[in-house]
Amino acid sequence: MFLVSTRGRTAAGVATLLLAAVGMPVTAAADVPRTPLATVNCAGSITVNVHPVNGAVDGKSGSDFRCATPDQSFPAQLTLTGSVTGSGALFFTTHTNDTIKRTDTGQEIRFTIDRRLDRDSTSASGNATERGSSNQARDSGTGLFGTGTNLVTFVITNNYILDVTT
């Protein structure tokens, strides 16, 4: 003989009877409609400015930036702002708050993402790679970097992709 606990089912039954007694509707979790997750895929180019002295990060997409869902494609603009979370001679890690804004409707999608920006040398300019992820977004691409006074700019123009789950 196997013993089976009915405590959980008894408590759920009592709760259902109490809700029914006070006139509240009883709805099973399976009856609650769920909005399916949608993914927005974007491509184009981005510029990311890293300010090593004060730890700020900002950036935006280029004019070629476009996004798409399974049923539509639209022009968009990406803006990002945040801070440096780590660095070394050839890399920066960042945490940013990003916004994708549809330029045709003004609709915005906001998300956070942690990025790693790598450069191939400590010289004034060279090759760069970028990749990032969070629980809501992923991105990656390659391009160039250049330095200025208290500034490292990453221009990611090759194979840049951004996927955001809304």
Side-chain angles (χ1 to χ4, degrees):
M1 173 185 280
F2 295 101
L3 296 176
V4 178
S5 171
T6 58
R7 178 181 280 177
R9 282 181 275 183
T10 303
V14 170
T16 301
L17 289 174
L18 288 173
L19 289 173
V22 295
M24 294 187 73
V26 178
T27 305
D31 295 338
V32 177
R34 297 178 194 265
T35 303
L37 295 176
T39 300
V40 177
N41 307 107
C42 302
S45 62
I46 64 169
T47 300
V48 180
N49 300 306
V50 177
H51 307 270
V53 173
N54 66 10
V57 177
D58 61 73
K60 65 180 181 173
S61 60
S63 60
D64 62 339
F65 200 73
R66 289 194 64 84
C67 297
T69 62
D71 59 346
Q72 59 183 319
S73 175
F74 50 89
Q77 182 176 19
L78 173 70
T79 56
L80 56 104
T81 182
S83 60
V84 173
T85 58
S87 64
L90 298 175
F91 74 93
F92 293 97
T93 55
T94 68
H95 180 79
T96 60
N97 297 302
D98 294 17
T99 302
I100 297 172
K101 182 176 182 178
R102 287 185 65 150
T103 57
D104 57 348
T105 65
Q107 179 185 7
E108 293 184 345
I109 301 169
R110 296 177 190 273
F111 59 96
T112 61
I113 190 167
D114 297 317
R115 289 186 171 90
R116 181 178 170 109
L117 299 148
D118 290 296
R119 52 187 180 167
D120 67 350
S121 74
T122 57
S123 64
S125 62
N127 296 312
T129 59
E130 181 275 343
R131 61 189 172 281
S133 65
S134 69
N135 62 348
Q136 191 178 357
R138 275 185 337 216
D139 73 345
S140 65
T142 62
L144 302 172
F145 78 90
T147 59
T149 304
N150 299 322
L151 177 68
V152 180
T153 298
F154 293 84
V155 182
I156 307 301
T157 56
N158 302 321
N159 302 316
Y160 179 75
I161 57 164
L162 168 65
D163 300 323
V164 180
T165 303
T166 60

